[in-house]
Amino acid sequence: MSTTAIQQGTATPALSYADRQLFKNGEPHRIIAGAVHYFRIHPEQWQDRIDRLVAMGVNTLDTYVAWNFHQPYRDVAPDFTGWKDLARFITMAGDAGLDVIVRPGPYICAEWDNGGFPSWAISNPDMVLRSSDKLFTGAVEEWFAHLLPVLEPLQASHGGPVIAVQIENEYGSYGDDQKYLRWNRQALIDGGITEILFTADGGTDYFLDGGALPDAWATATLGSRGQEADEIWERRRPGEPFFNVEFWNGWFDHWGEDHHTRSGAEAAAEAKKILDVGGSICLYMAHGGTNFGLGSGSNHDGTIQPTVTSYDSDAPIAEDGRLTAKFHAMREAFFAAAGRELTPVPQHLEQPGTVLAATDIPLTRGTALADFMRAAHPVPSVKPKSFEQLGLDRGLVHYSAQAVLPAGEGAIKIRGLHDRAYVWVDNVFAGVLSDATGEAGLTVHGSGVAAQLEILVENQGRINYGPFFGQGKGILDGVLINQRYVFHWEQRAIDLDRPLAELLSLGATEATDAAEAGAGFFHGELSVHEPADTYLALPSFGKGFVWINGFLLGRFWESGPQVTLYVPGPLLKAGINAITVLELEHSGTRAEFRTEPDLGAVGVTYVEDLG
């Protein structure tokens, strides 16, 4: 028996290994898992999605834990109730006969805002993120003090479903502080975790060099060439069974890019290669769900790449729960690997769920964007303040100052812009700047006298992966007129996570400024006889946010690829349902509720390689 069976000392873990063979309670075992995130699924749909996962033939559910989902504000204790009832979600999976793998991070990537961290927890500029710096480990220690007591009683040693817990996440893609990884491992043990602990990294020597520990099971994240990775594991991690803990059978989308898909047959063939060498596998994602609210993160490749609201990810179980061709291809491979007869999928799961009939509703104009953004409480400063300095995690910041524009042609430039800025001069819209164009600036014409300069900056999602993780939002340096800084600002933080009624009370007036005729709030009412799923499109609208009955559904943007936003039936009620849109650019006149999702034309077949 491998020493992993007694690695924590106080209880025998359910999982152990020896000679590249995985065991569960002493019997040969293979993990066939699917990733499903509770924070991306309406809680009234948890059971349905778990049932569909079981029907695919897996024996294990895998989930991340998103710290910022439980504790978005510093002065409010972590919440583990309602939608945030992690213990209930794990217990439901166990009751369905599944084992559970928990990945508490605290860094989770997951294309989730800030990689799962609340911005307030890591905004100290002296803090060295994801390292053994005590400023950082001290913050994580406080979070673990709340989280681990939730997980500890759910372990297999107590009769629960949790059989494995991850140490950090893909650390070899970020750093090489082995002291930090060992701290993270010990923090889990000190918090009562007695099940097997493991690391997860890309399937090459490079990623193992930074992310693996000699005394913890190393697992792989990859979407292809699993057999090559298995050979690396045999060489680098002798005796350890190969576990592809993230098999990327699909991929997510960024705004402005193509919609990504991957053939079910091709993905299943790659998965089968891992199963054929005796490896374990976890589909990432088995069911992706939705980046509700402002939960979607962003990547960075020269410029920011914000992730769309849908996290469908071309997963086997679609965003709305439908079973895809990929589901059936994976199911066939999983049943064969387990030596099970391929029985029919239960009929109630195979049939599409009920959806609302297609309908259009008119949207009427409410408060203008200008009135809304000017109504919040002003905070003065000499230089512009960032989101973090204003104590704002997500949403918008309105900046205003007096600036002398030289006579003739000049430029308004923003240094350190994160992410997207709408600029007005004396109430006249001047244009849009982004992190890529901020320093090039906007050309404006001045008269040599003071003008009112206004800038509305949108946080499009905090970076969740790579060396820019933890980067701030807002205006991080300053605003220049040509080469001259503008000083003495007022800024107004707009927290879009606040209750909608509070937001609507800000500057609540009818539009009076023709220059603002295309931006602001819009309202409509959807009459529903019996709640069911639907798919919301906003034709002719540009970019903004939409609420259903006061619930912030997510972001929309005409840049695509996503056209419709999934509206789960539990968000609706019999009778009148309120639709609220905050448009930042230009508006349409109606909302469409469709019977089918539209995540964009299939533009690219995507297979993430080993890297």
Side-chain angles (χ1 to χ4, degrees), residues 170-173 175-176 178 181 199-201 206-213:
E170 291 188 313
Y171 188 69
S173 302
D176 65 358
Q178 293 285 297
L181 285 182
T199 58
D201 286 289
Y206 171 82
F207 296 115
L208 284 173
D209 289 343
L213 286 171

Side-chain angles (χ1 to χ4, degrees), residues 252-374:
F252 58 92
D253 295 334
H254 294 131
W255 290 113
E257 297 180 355
D258 290 326
H259 176 48
H260 297 82
T261 62
R262 185 178 187 182
S263 141
E266 187 275 333
E270 282 293 326
K272 190 173 182 296
K273 292 176 183 178
I274 295 167
L275 297 169
D276 285 348
V277 298
S280 292
I281 194 169
C282 177
L283 300 185
Y284 191 94
M285 298 292 294
H287 169 63
T290 309
N291 295 314
F292 291 114
L294 305 179
S296 55
S298 65
N299 290 293
H300 195 285
D301 186 14
T303 61
I304 191 171
Q305 301 168 301
T307 300
V308 302
T309 298
S310 172
Y311 202 60
D312 176 85
S313 300
D314 196 35
I317 304 167
E319 182 178 17
D320 59 3
R322 299 186 197 197
L323 305 185
T324 68
K326 187 178 292 182
F327 172 93
H328 292 286
M330 288 297 181
R331 185 173 190 265
E332 184 175 346
F334 293 165
F335 271 66
R340 298 169 58 186
E341 178 185 354
L342 189 64
T343 55
V345 175
Q347 188 174 10
H348 73 284
L349 298 178
E350 187 69 87
Q351 294 176 343
T354 304
V355 298
L356 295 183
T359 188
D360 289 7
I361 64 166
L363 296 176
T364 58
R365 180 62 191 271
T367 302
L369 178 63
D371 294 326
F372 172 66
M373 69 185 187
R374 294 166 183 162

Side-chain angles (χ1 to χ4, degrees), residues 284-559:
Y284 191 94
M285 298 292 294
H287 169 63
T290 309
N291 295 314
F292 291 114
L294 305 179
S296 55
S298 65
N299 290 293
H300 195 285
D301 186 14
T303 61
I304 191 171
Q305 301 168 301
T307 300
V308 302
T309 298
S310 172
Y311 202 60
D312 176 85
S313 300
D314 196 35
I317 304 167
E319 182 178 17
D320 59 3
R322 299 186 197 197
L323 305 185
T324 68
K326 187 178 292 182
F327 172 93
H328 292 286
M330 288 297 181
R331 185 173 190 265
E332 184 175 346
F334 293 165
F335 271 66
R340 298 169 58 186
E341 178 185 354
L342 189 64
T343 55
V345 175
Q347 188 174 10
H348 73 284
L349 298 178
E350 187 69 87
Q351 294 176 343
T354 304
V355 298
L356 295 183
T359 188
D360 289 7
I361 64 166
L363 296 176
T364 58
R365 180 62 191 271
T367 302
L369 178 63
D371 294 326
F372 172 66
M373 69 185 187
R374 294 166 183 162
H377 177 72
V379 175
S381 63
V382 176
K383 291 188 68 176
K385 287 183 175 290
S386 68
F387 276 56
E388 295 73 40
Q389 290 170 320
L390 293 168
L392 181 64
D393 189 357
R394 306 165 174 174
L396 308 164
V397 171
H398 172 254
Y399 297 87
S400 62
Q402 291 283 315
V404 174
L405 301 182
E409 187 174 283
I412 299 173
K413 305 176 183 180
I414 306 178
R415 297 191 61 188
L417 171 59
H418 300 275
D419 299 311
R420 185 175 176 87
Y422 300 88
V423 182
W424 293 263
V425 178
D426 285 336
N427 295 318
V428 177
F429 184 62
V432 177
L433 292 171
S434 69
D435 65 310
T437 62
E439 294 204 35
L442 289 170
T443 298
V444 293
H445 291 84
S447 57
V449 299
Q452 179 71 12
L453 180 61
E454 294 181 274
I455 303 171
L456 183 68
V457 176
E458 178 195 1
N459 169 359
Q460 297 187 106
R462 292 181 182 271
I463 290 171
N464 53 256
Y465 180 81
F468 293 101
F469 165 69
Q471 193 174 66
K473 295 295 183 179
I475 298 176
L476 305 188
D477 186 324
V479 179
L480 296 91
I481 305 301
N482 296 338
Q483 75 272 23
R484 183 178 66 226
Y485 275 106
V486 177
F487 291 124
H488 300 293
W489 291 84
E490 285 188 344
Q491 38 266 305
R492 294 167 173 84
I494 303 171
D495 183 358
L496 296 179
D497 285 324
R498 291 172 58 186
L500 179 60
E502 294 182 11
L503 293 173
L504 293 177
S505 69
L506 295 174
T509 61
E510 294 300 316
T512 56
D513 189 341
E516 287 290 3
F521 279 100
F522 294 81
H523 305 279
E525 293 184 341
L526 173 68
S527 179
V528 171
H529 176 66
E530 184 175 350
D533 288 357
T534 185
Y535 310 89
L536 170 64
L538 293 163
S540 300
F541 281 83
K543 188 180 196 299
F545 315 88
V546 59
W547 288 258
I548 303 290
N549 290 327
F551 175 82
L552 180 51
L553 189 65
R555 299 175 171 96
F556 65 88
W557 195 357
E558 64 182 349
S559 66

